[in-house]
Each structure stands twice: as C-alpha cells, then as structure tokens.
C-alpha cells in the first residue's frame, strides 16, 4: 500500500549530499598568529584564543575557589589554577579578570609580580590600565610585547583606582589569593576570578601533572600540537537547573549535561585533516576527540560511574564531540560534580527534539492526487530520476537517519537497511529507550526514510536515493540523546546524516545559547570527520504560524553552513520547503537567523545569517512516501 504522508520533510538535497560525501568542500585556511607578538582576540568580552604554531605550548592558569555573588570579582570563574613545576619556564602573554560589578570604578591596573617563595615580590614589567566599563564581562590585559618570562610561580593582580587593595593569585601555591594594603601582603580567602595565559617557551617538558594537562600531552602521539578553546561561566550550575533542584526529592534523577571547561578547537582540528582521505580523516577526528575526552574527564567520569553503580546516576554518556557528559543524576551528585575543577557548567537537558510535522490548507486538495505507479512529483521536480542512470542512486552510501524510528519491515526499505551485524539486528539503535529495537511508533520517521530511500518495491518510486542504506537512529529526546545518535553514526560509518526535527529557537529560553553552541561544536566536528548533516529548517510553530525573525529557524538549522565565512565551518545544510509551483510553502521556516554566541560572534541580527541554505519540494500538493 502506498501511504500518503502530509508532513514537511524537506531533505531532497540528500542527493547532493550523497555526491558531496565523496567530494567535500574546499579546505578552509586559518592564519596562525604568533602569540609572542599579538594575541588573537576572538571575543573581548569573554576569552582570548592564542592559535598554536609548531613548538608553542599555550595554556591557561586559573584561580577560582567558589562562585561569584557580588562585589568586585575578576578572572576565570571556572576552576583552580594550574600548578606549574617549580622550574617550569614560561612567558606571560595575557592576564584576564572578570568584572562582576563596577562599583563606580572606571579603570583597573593589571600588574604582574614575582614570587619570593612565601609571598608576592617585585613587579615584573609595566602595569596595563584597562577600562572597567561594563559588568559581568571579561577584561584582557596584553603583556605579550613586554617579554615577561618567569620560572615557576608568579602573581597576576588587579588594582582598582578607587581602592588601594591589590588582589592577586599565585599560579602554583594552591591558587592562593593575596591582598596588598599599600604596605604589606597577606593571604586572602575571598573568591576571585583571574586567568593568566602563558606560553611554555622554556626548555624541557611541560609538567604533565598539572590540572588540566598542558596542550601537547596527547598530541605528541599524533605529531601535532592541538589548539583549545575554553568555556567559562559565572556559575557552575545553571540558574534554571538550580531552581529545579530546589523542588525535587533527593532521589529524583534530573537530566543534565556537564560541559568541561576545555575542548579541542574545531577550526584547528579541521585544519589537521587537510589532504587526508575520507577514511583517514574520519578515523583521525574520532580518535583525537575520544582520546582527549576520555583523558580529560577521567576523574569526574570515574566518580560518576561509581554513582551509577550506587543507583544515583543513570544513562551516563561520554559526549566526546563536545567534551561533555550527559546523564540523569540526583541533586547531591550534581552538586558534587560542580566542585570538580575541570567542570565549567551543568545545565538542565530537558528540551526534546520536536519532529517537523505539519497539516494545513496547502494539503486541502490531497484527495485529487492520483494513485501514481511511477515516480512521485517531488523526486521528478529535482530531477533525481535523471541522475539514477548515471549511477547516483545512493549505492554504498550509509544514511544516519535521526527521527522517530523506522518500520524496518516495510517492503520499500527492507532490502537496503544498514547491516550492523549481530549487535544491531534491527539496523540501528533506539536512543530514547536505550535498546536495539528502533521500530517507528509514530510514523514520521518511516515517512521521512521513504523520502530518502524508498525504492518503489510497492509500486511507486518515492526516494531520491533508492539504493542508499538507512541506519535507523531513533532519537528525539534531549541533547544528550541527539549527541549519542550522532556519535553512533560517526563511529559506525554513516556518510550522511538526515533529521527532520529540531529545537524551537523561540521557545528554547535560556537554553538557546547552550543548545546552539553545543550543536555547532557537534556539526563542526562532523564536517572534520567528512560527514554531511542535512536538517529541515523548521516548520515555523508547527501550527501553521511563524515565530518572529530571527527566531523562526530552528536549532541546529541555525548553524552556519560549510560555505559561509572563512572559518567556523560546520556540516549543516538547512533545507526549506517549496510547493509544486516553486513557491515557498506557507509553513516553511523563514530566515534570517542570527549567530552571535561565544566564541564565534559572526552574524548579529540585523542583517543576520541567510537561512534556509537550500529549498526543495515538501509542500502542496503533498508528499507521497512509501
């Protein structure tokens, strides 16, 4: 039986993606700036990134012994300082403070001091004056041109012009803070958020016992130095999660994502795969991300595994595409994890992916569609049937299909589903229920799979790539489930991923930033691995209406496509819907969108980022699938 489904599944550029999977876009370039000359300031409000050229070992020393509340707080707000070995040589490039509140002060002097062995000593170099013109933002003092080289400990300090007190921290002595009253120094126990970026320019190996490890420890095995970006937040536990924790029982398990403070820079990782073949770049990307994540998360993950055995943690997942952890945990465990120095943020992962389904006036004439026994109109509209004789049928291409599951018994699909062996007898995985039976209990996933690869066994050709193998990824839960599905697809050989679902930008609230940045790191690394991600731009509000611009495009469709800009490339291709007469379907989400999240800040609105990236048949008079 032919089933007519009147959903908006707008992934007809899949055929383009299948051809693209073997011929990825041109490599992007990245200019490596010598950090001894000039810092590469990516975001003056949040962080500085020093690109690493061969022989340079950039790392960040941070002091933080708690959470900010009020008053004058500066620095990292994330974790304790690194402990350099007593003889470790480095050049101080930048020191940073976090301006929590102004208090009437307009400038602040950043100064570096030597360490006497018991307290701060003489001043090194010249102080740098900085504005204190906004609250809750980073301020960066550049010392790279002063060539301040130290061996072992030093003090990074900040002196407000309306207060003679100097607050600093020593980088070795347990990250201790110090106070100067104009005459003498004394230890200080308050919370300060201070960061120092250094270049290990001296001879000898970096101290591999420091926390976190220097950048080149794992990279030695690959013959390259890795470049990292850092995530820093004023509080370890997100406010919405904190409110949720106040109103649950001690036994209740809350779905959360733990973001570690350090992750491999996606642009830099992309630059390392230049010239690699398809299999090599996938293997390199996966192995590099997995090895780093496993090593960096070792302590916290070991603790969480013990809590899982005790029944206080469930669905523990190592999210290696973003150096994060997904889980369900009690509030006591969440509080304990927040104390780990490598944890930047914990937030509530309770927003599920929403299938893009629509009914409306555009389908009012659906009964007049003939029971065609040929090729459906939408496949003909994009001329897919004309390239099948040329060999572009999707043969030997695996499509990771993220949706509500698939009816794997359907005759139009059954003979070209992914063969996962004995471990995956039903051609995929159910990430929502965590089992190996991804049977569709909704209908949407089977319909969209038919648009991808329905081969006409039942009588009508419905798929743009009728020989492609469908890898069934039943995954419409939160971001942990989504990342687990993508991890699975990458690890098991998917060439292309498709998804007709997303998170509503307009309804994401405080999670908009978290969902968007996490997904961008996921899709940036997918492109590095050589895998295209095709997603629907959205169906407005799924009720026939639209959200205001720039919030109508969903997540992850809002992520810049591979052809935008000179860096920050992702594998995202967001697809809008057209009708049979080539007009825009009334339900198809409108752009522009915006991308103004840390650390990219590329497309503020207006004018924003053009979306959708591609438009293709998905509207009136309706799509016949399977």
């Amino acid at each position: 039986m032919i089933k007519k489904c009147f959903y908006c599944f707008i992934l007809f550029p899949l055929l383009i993606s299948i051809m693209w999977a073997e011929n990825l876009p041109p490599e992007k370039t990245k200019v490596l700036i010598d950090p001894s000359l000039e810092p590469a300031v990516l975001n003056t409000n949040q962080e500085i990134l020093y690109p690493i050229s061969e022989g340079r070992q950039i790392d960040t020393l941070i002091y933080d012994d708690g959470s900010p509340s009020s008053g004058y707080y500066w620095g990292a707000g994330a974790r304790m300082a690194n402990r350099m070995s007593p003889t470790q040589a480095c050049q101080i490039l930048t020191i940073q403070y976090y301006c929590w509140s102004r208090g009437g002060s307009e400038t602040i002097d950043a100064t570096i001091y030597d360490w006497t062995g018991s307290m701060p000593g003489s001043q090194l170099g010249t102080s740098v004056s900085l504005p204190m013109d906004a609250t809750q933002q980073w301020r960066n003092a550049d010392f790279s041109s002063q060539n301040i080289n130290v061996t072992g400990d030093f003090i990074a300090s900040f002196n407000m012009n309306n207060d003679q007190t100097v607050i600093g921290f020593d980088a070795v002595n347990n990250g201790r803070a110090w106070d100067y009253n104009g005459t003498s120094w004394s230890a200080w126990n308050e919370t300060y958020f201070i960061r120092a970026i250094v270049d290990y320019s001296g001879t000898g190996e970096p101290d591999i016992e420091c926390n976190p490890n220097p950048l080149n420890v794992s990279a030695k095995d690959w013959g390259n130095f890795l470049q990292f970006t850092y995530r820093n937040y004023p509080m370890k536990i997100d406010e919405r999660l904190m409110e949720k924790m106040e109103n649950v029982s001690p036994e209740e398990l809350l779905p959360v994502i733990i973001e570690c403070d350090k992750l491999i820079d996606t642009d830099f990782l992309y630059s390392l795969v230049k010239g690699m073949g398809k299999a090599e770049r996938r293997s390199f990307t996966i192995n590099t991300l997995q090895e780093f994540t496993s090593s960096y998360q070792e302590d916290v993950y070991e603790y969480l595994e013990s809590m899982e055995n005790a029944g206080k943690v469930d669905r523990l997942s190592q999210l290696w595409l973003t150096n994060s952890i997904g889980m369900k945990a009690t509030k006591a465990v969440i509080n304990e994890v927040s104390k780990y120095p490598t944890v930047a943020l914990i937030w509530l992962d309770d927003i599920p992916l929403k299938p893009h389904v629509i009914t409306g006036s555009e389908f009012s004439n659906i009964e007049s569609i003939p029971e065609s026994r040929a090729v459906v109109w939408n496949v003909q509209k994009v001329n897919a049937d004309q390239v099948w004789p040329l060999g572009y049928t999707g043969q030997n291409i695996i499509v990771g299909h993220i949706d509500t599951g698939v009816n794997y018994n359907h005759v139009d699909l059954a003979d070209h589903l992914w063969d996962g062996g004995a471990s995956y007898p039903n051609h995929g995985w159910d990430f929502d229920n965590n089992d190996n039976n991804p049977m569709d209990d909704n209908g949407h996933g089977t319909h969209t799979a038919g648009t991808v690869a329905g081969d006409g066994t039942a009588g009508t050709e419905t798929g743009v790539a009728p020989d492609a193998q469908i890898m069934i990824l039943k995954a419409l839960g939160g971001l942990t489930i989504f990342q687990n599905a993508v991890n699975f697809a990458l690890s098991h050989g998917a060439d292309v991923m498709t998804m007709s679902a997303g998170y509503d930008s307009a309804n994401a609230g405080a999670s908009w930033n978290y969902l968007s940045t996490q997904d961008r790191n996921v899709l940036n690394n997918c492109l590095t691995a050589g895998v295209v991600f095709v997603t629907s731009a959205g169906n407005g509000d799924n009720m026939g209406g639209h959200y205001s611009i720039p919030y109508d495009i969903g997540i992850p469709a809002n992520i810049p496509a591979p052809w935008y800009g000179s860096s920050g490339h992702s594998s995202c291709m967001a697809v809008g819907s057209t009708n049979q007469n080539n007009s825009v379907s009334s339900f198809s989400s409108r752009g522009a969108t915006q991308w103004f999240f840390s650390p990219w800040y590329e497309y503020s609105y207006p004018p924003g980022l053009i979306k959708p990236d591609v438009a293709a048949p998905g509207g009136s008079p309706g799509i016949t699938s399977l």
Side-chain angles (χ1 to χ4, degrees), residues 349-366:
D349 182 24
D350 64 342
I351 301 177
L353 284 166
K354 181 172 71 175
H356 289 153
V357 182
I358 193 70
T359 59
S361 60
E362 290 195 46
F363 304 111
S364 60
N365 65 341
I366 197 67

Side-chain angles (χ1 to χ4, degrees), residues 430-504:
D430 180 350
F431 294 91
D432 293 328
N433 299 300
N434 198 30
D435 60 45
N436 67 1
N437 185 20
M439 174 58 74
D440 188 2
D441 52 11
N442 176 283
H444 185 259
T446 304
H447 158 64
T448 53
T451 303
V452 173
D455 68 0
T457 298
T460 299
E461 297 272 10
T462 64
V464 293
D467 290 331
Q469 301 172 47
I470 297 294
M471 175 189 288
I472 308 172
L473 307 172
K474 187 174 182 178
L476 288 184
L479 190 59
T480 294
I481 288 175
F482 170 71
Q483 287 197 53
N484 279 332
V486 175
N487 290 353
F488 184 96
L490 289 178
S491 300
H492 291 86
D495 301 287
V496 181
M497 280 181 270
T498 66
M499 184 175 76
S500 181
Y503 307 98
D504 283 347

Side-chain angles (χ1 to χ4, degrees), residues 318-335:
Q318 196 161 63
L319 307 177
W320 45 266
L321 280 166
T322 60
N323 193 19
S324 302
I325 297 171
M327 66 176 183
K328 294 182 177 180
T330 64
K331 57 185 179 182
V333 170
I334 294 170
N335 278 319

Side-chain angles (χ1 to χ4, degrees), residues 408-445:
Y408 42 76
N409 297 318
H410 198 291
V411 294
D412 282 349
L413 297 171
D415 66 349
H416 53 285
L417 296 171
W418 171 67
D419 182 3
S423 297
Y424 308 102
N426 297 311
H427 317 287
W429 193 260
D430 180 350
F431 294 91
D432 293 328
N433 299 300
N434 198 30
D435 60 45
N436 67 1
N437 185 20
M439 174 58 74
D440 188 2
D441 52 11
N442 176 283
H444 185 259

Side-chain angles (χ1 to χ4, degrees), residues 152-201:
D153 212 349
F154 63 92
I155 290 286
S157 69
F158 300 95
N159 178 19
M160 294 176 295
N161 64 358
N162 66 342
D163 189 342
Q164 294 301 309
T165 299
V166 176
I167 301 299
F169 82 101
D170 64 84
V172 176
N173 191 34
N174 297 318
R176 198 171 189 182
W178 293 83
D179 170 70
Y180 184 68
N181 61 12
T183 305
S184 60
W185 291 89
S186 59
W188 195 260
N189 294 319
E190 293 293 331
T191 300
Y192 293 95
F193 297 86
I194 300 172
R195 175 164 62 186
I197 299 175
V198 301
D199 170 17
Y200 290 113
S201 54

Side-chain angles (χ1 to χ4, degrees), residues 7 23 52 55 71 87 96 100 112 158 261 287 312 335 368 396 409 445 470 496 589 602 625:
Y7 303 93
N23 186 22
I52 299 172
T87 59
Q96 303 173 307
W100 186 255
I112 299 172
F158 300 95
D261 59 346
N287 290 341
K312 299 179 180 180
N335 278 319
S368 65
N396 299 321
N409 297 318
I470 297 294
V496 181
S589 287
E602 300 150 317
S625 176

Side-chain angles (χ1 to χ4, degrees), residues 300-315:
V300 65
Y301 209 79
E302 183 178 347
Y303 163 72
L304 291 174
E305 286 179 323
S306 69
M307 292 297 98
E308 188 175 37
N309 293 333
K312 299 179 180 180
V313 168
D314 190 28
R315 301 295 296 272

Side-chain angles (χ1 to χ4, degrees), residues 72-393:
Y72 303 100
Y73 292 92
W74 311 287
R79 51 185 167 84
M80 293 295 292
N82 296 57
R83 299 187 181 188
M84 301 187 303
S85 64
T87 59
Q88 180 63 57
C90 71
Q91 179 187 351
I92 303 170
L93 301 176
T94 301
I95 61 175
Q96 303 173 307
Y97 70 94
Y98 191 86
C99 179
W100 186 255
S101 64
R102 291 174 58 191
S105 181
E106 298 300 328
T107 62
I108 192 167
D109 291 330
T111 309
I112 299 172
Y113 293 92
D114 199 358
W115 175 252
T116 66
S118 59
M119 65 177 58
S122 59
Q123 180 175 333
L124 302 176
T126 304
S127 298
V128 176
S129 294
L130 298 169
M132 200 167 163
D133 53 4
T135 62
Q136 299 186 39
Q137 293 190 15
W138 289 104
R139 286 294 176 263
N140 310 303
D142 180 16
F143 286 87
S144 59
S145 62
Q146 297 193 34
N147 294 317
I148 299 176
N149 294 282
V150 297
T151 300
D153 212 349
F154 63 92
I155 290 286
S157 69
F158 300 95
N159 178 19
M160 294 176 295
N161 64 358
N162 66 342
D163 189 342
Q164 294 301 309
T165 299
V166 176
I167 301 299
F169 82 101
D170 64 84
V172 176
N173 191 34
N174 297 318
R176 198 171 189 182
W178 293 83
D179 170 70
Y180 184 68
N181 61 12
T183 305
S184 60
W185 291 89
S186 59
W188 195 260
N189 294 319
E190 293 293 331
T191 300
Y192 293 95
F193 297 86
I194 300 172
R195 175 164 62 186
I197 299 175
V198 301
D199 170 17
Y200 290 113
S201 54
T203 60
E205 291 292 307
D207 174 16
I208 62 173
E209 297 301 318
C210 71
N211 182 19
N213 287 335
L215 305 187
N216 71 332
V217 173
S218 297
K220 290 178 182 176
D221 296 335
W222 305 316
N224 294 285
F225 291 114
L226 292 177
Q227 178 177 311
F228 289 78
T229 53
Y230 296 86
R231 294 185 281 215
N232 299 284
Y233 301 91
M235 295 183 290
K236 290 286 193 78
I237 300 178
D238 176 69
E239 183 176 356
R240 195 165 72 91
L241 173 57
M242 189 73 75
E243 292 175 356
K244 184 78 172 180
M245 291 166 59
E246 291 175 356
N247 298 304
V248 299
S249 68
E251 295 78 24
E252 184 172 346
L253 301 180
L254 298 174
V256 297
I257 284 183
I258 303 167
E259 293 187 7
C260 292
D261 59 346
K262 189 174 183 179
L263 66 163
I264 298 174
D265 179 64
T266 56
D267 283 355
F268 187 75
L269 188 61
Y270 185 98
S271 72
L272 297 181
V273 303
K274 186 175 181 179
M276 292 183 184
K278 182 179 176 180
E280 184 182 5
R281 71 184 290 173
R282 179 194 295 263
S283 176
F284 178 88
T285 302
I286 292 173
N287 290 341
T288 301
L289 292 168
Q290 286 182 339
E291 182 176 338
F292 167 71
T293 299
S294 179
S295 173
Y296 197 77
Q297 294 181 0
E298 184 175 5
D299 290 346
V300 65
Y301 209 79
E302 183 178 347
Y303 163 72
L304 291 174
E305 286 179 323
S306 69
M307 292 297 98
E308 188 175 37
N309 293 333
K312 299 179 180 180
V313 168
D314 190 28
R315 301 295 296 272
L316 184 61
S317 303
Q318 196 161 63
L319 307 177
W320 45 266
L321 280 166
T322 60
N323 193 19
S324 302
I325 297 171
M327 66 176 183
K328 294 182 177 180
T330 64
K331 57 185 179 182
V333 170
I334 294 170
N335 278 319
E336 186 64 27
V337 169
S338 71
K339 300 175 184 178
Y340 279 78
T342 55
V343 170
L345 179 70
I346 310 174
W347 52 278
L348 194 61
D349 182 24
D350 64 342
I351 301 177
L353 284 166
K354 181 172 71 175
H356 289 153
V357 182
I358 193 70
T359 59
S361 60
E362 290 195 46
F363 304 111
S364 60
N365 65 341
I366 197 67
E367 294 304 324
S368 65
I369 298 176
E371 288 286 344
S372 170
R373 307 299 291 178
V375 180
V376 294
W377 73 268
N378 44 285
V379 172
Q380 293 179 335
K381 193 73 172 178
V382 298
N383 296 324
D385 55 327
Q386 294 186 25
V387 301
W388 293 340
L390 304 178
Y392 295 107
T393 63

